[in-house]
Amino acid sequence: MRTTEVRPARKAAGPPADSTRPVRFRAGRVSFRMHRRTGLVGGGALLLAGLFLLVSLCVGAYPVTVPEVARALFHGTGDRLAVHFVNQERLPQALLAILAGCALGVSGAIFQSVSRNALASPDVIGFNSGAATGAILVIVLSGGAAASVAAGAVAGGLATALVVSVLASRGGLHGIRLVLIGLGVTAMLGSVNSYLLTRSSLNDAQNAHIWLVGTLNGRGWSSVQTMAAALTVLLPLALLFGGRLRMMELGDDLATGLGVRVNRSRLALTVLGIGLCGVAVASAGPIPFIALAAPQIAVMVSRSPGVSLLSAGAVGAGLLSAAHLASSQFFTFLVWADGRIGWLQVVEESQRNNLLPVGVTTAVLGGVHLAWVLFKRRGTGTA
């Protein structure tokens, strides 16, 4: 008697597993979907930023141990010098590095997504230069109070964005045209800034020149409060438009078909990006590289289909925190190398306790990053 083997039916092949997960707040009334790897990248970048912050509180001309940092932060007790260095000098600068880096990362992601061009960051298309011009005018004319400099930077960035947008929007906003016009406006504003420096007093010119490099040195709690207040208002609004931004990356026609009001959304996102960039420039100066590279690094590491504002902001915070730590320890490293090698006479005694402006470090990192990108894309015709 022949027996027939009965095999269980194969499970029907379904669609591939979705790599995104819903995130809900307030009992599901506020929800969005997040790429899993994007969330891991953002969380890892924030952890690195926190680690860099802790190291920044410990190292310096007056070393402080981790237990002393904890007592100074949470109890305000211990060695008076340790309390002063931790709470009044190092902590405001480290926090400002995280906040400004987050603002620059989100701003760069907005402009790169709106223009669909990886080079369309605020420091390339002239918005940083416009904010710098507005801030220099305030420094030269009124002496440079913190609130006035911030207002001047935001106003200068908005005026520059208006000019660049009007010149680049003839026949539709194209990424290449936006970058080219932005480069021209940046060159012209650089000449204006140089002229303003030549017509100012020696003290104002020195203050403006140090600020133009991009620095966190000497920044206090007032800058941190201004930056935190701006992020509290602007960052949730930017995230609110994040869904529309992803659909606008598909093109204006398709986004309009999906129900997105493209012109209004582009205008709102542009204003938010300029606001984030302007406040960061007002607080720390026109720091290069962060807004350009943070969104690209976030996309490259997370392997997500598009730019995520949250991951770009987290990577920007981590990058600027790392650059701030490297800048603060640059001359210390040279002194250590001088003691080890013996013939490295590059640091004078009067300069050994100075801090390197963070804008110098980010500019070097930006050059290395661009060189690596060009090397990686050699022979592809896409560089």
Side-chain angles (χ1 to χ4, degrees):
M1 182 177 180
R2 180 180 297 179
T3 60
T4 304
E5 181 180 357
V6 180
R7 298 180 179 179
R10 293 183 178 179
K11 185 179 181 179
D18 191 2
S19 60
T20 62
R21 290 292 183 268
V23 180
R24 296 183 176 89
F25 298 98
R26 300 183 63 183
R29 285 180 289 180
V30 179
S31 64
F32 59 92
R33 299 185 70 84
M34 176 178 290
H35 195 269
R36 285 182 297 180
R37 193 177 178 95
T38 299
L40 293 176
V41 169
L46 289 179
L47 287 177
L48 285 177
L51 177 62
F52 293 141
L53 182 146
L54 178 60
V55 176
S56 298
L57 296 181
C58 295
V59 299
Y62 187 85
V64 182
T65 63
V66 174
E68 290 176 335
V69 168
R71 287 194 297 269
L73 288 178
F74 299 109
H75 303 287
T77 59
D79 184 23
R80 292 184 178 181
L81 284 178
V83 173
H84 171 75
F85 276 107
V86 170
N87 291 337
Q88 301 302 323
E89 293 193 12
R90 297 174 185 173
L91 183 59
Q93 296 177 19
L95 287 177
L96 185 60
I98 293 176
L99 296 176
C102 178
L104 291 173
V106 174
S107 178
I110 289 174
F111 287 117
Q112 291 178 14
S113 298
V114 168
S115 63
R116 297 190 292 276
N117 191 307
L119 291 178
S121 65
D123 48 350
V124 173
I125 58 180
F127 298 164
N128 278 11
S129 298
T133 302
I136 290 176
L137 281 173
V138 173
I139 292 174
V140 171
L141 296 179
S142 64
S148 301
V149 171
V154 173
L158 287 173
T160 305
L162 178 62
V163 173
V164 172
S165 300
V166 169
L167 295 177
S169 61
R170 295 186 61 183
L173 184 64
H174 298 285
I176 297 297
R177 184 187 301 150
L178 180 66
V179 171
L180 293 177
I181 292 176
L183 289 174
V185 172
T186 300
M188 290 187 292
L189 289 175
S191 300
V192 173
N193 294 342
S194 299
Y195 174 76
L196 290 175
L197 291 178
T198 61
R199 304 300 299 177
S200 60
S201 64
L202 180 60
N203 187 34
D204 291 340
Q206 289 178 343
N207 293 334
H209 181 71
I210 294 174
W211 182 86
L212 275 175
V213 177
T215 180
L216 300 171
N217 303 338
R219 298 298 188 266
W221 285 108
S222 60
S223 299
V224 176
Q225 293 170 358
T226 301
M227 196 73 242
L231 279 180
T232 302
V233 176
L234 298 177
L235 187 57
L237 293 176
L239 296 178
L240 183 63
F241 283 91
R244 304 181 189 182
L245 187 62
R246 300 295 289 272
M247 288 186 286
M248 289 169 60
E249 292 178 354
L250 303 174
D252 292 352
D253 295 336
L254 186 56
T256 302
L258 294 174
V260 178
R261 296 181 178 180
V262 175
N263 292 330
R264 291 186 180 182
S265 299
R266 181 179 289 117
L267 177 61
L269 286 166
T270 301
V271 172
L272 291 172
I274 294 170
L276 289 168
C277 167
V279 176
V281 171
S283 300
I287 298 176
F289 166 66
I290 302 298
L292 174 66
Q296 301 179 28
I297 293 175
V299 171
M300 178 182 63
V301 177
S302 64
R303 300 174 186 174
S304 61
V307 179
S308 171
L309 298 184
L310 283 175
S311 62
V315 171
L319 287 176
L320 192 53
S321 297
H324 169 61
L325 178 60
S327 300
S328 63
Q329 298 304 306
F330 178 74
F331 288 115
T332 303
F333 170 76
L334 289 184
V335 172
W336 174 84
D338 188 23
R340 292 280 180 169
I341 300 175
W343 50 265
L344 186 64
Q345 302 295 331
V346 294
V347 184
E348 297 180 0
E349 186 67 29
S350 60
Q351 297 178 343
R352 294 192 175 187
N353 292 327
N354 292 341
L355 298 178
L356 186 71
V358 71
V360 177
T361 305
T362 58
V364 173
L365 293 176
V368 173
H369 172 75
L370 290 178
W372 176 78
V373 170
L374 292 175
F375 177 78
K376 185 178 179 181
R377 296 185 180 182
R378 68 190 187 282
T380 62
T382 60

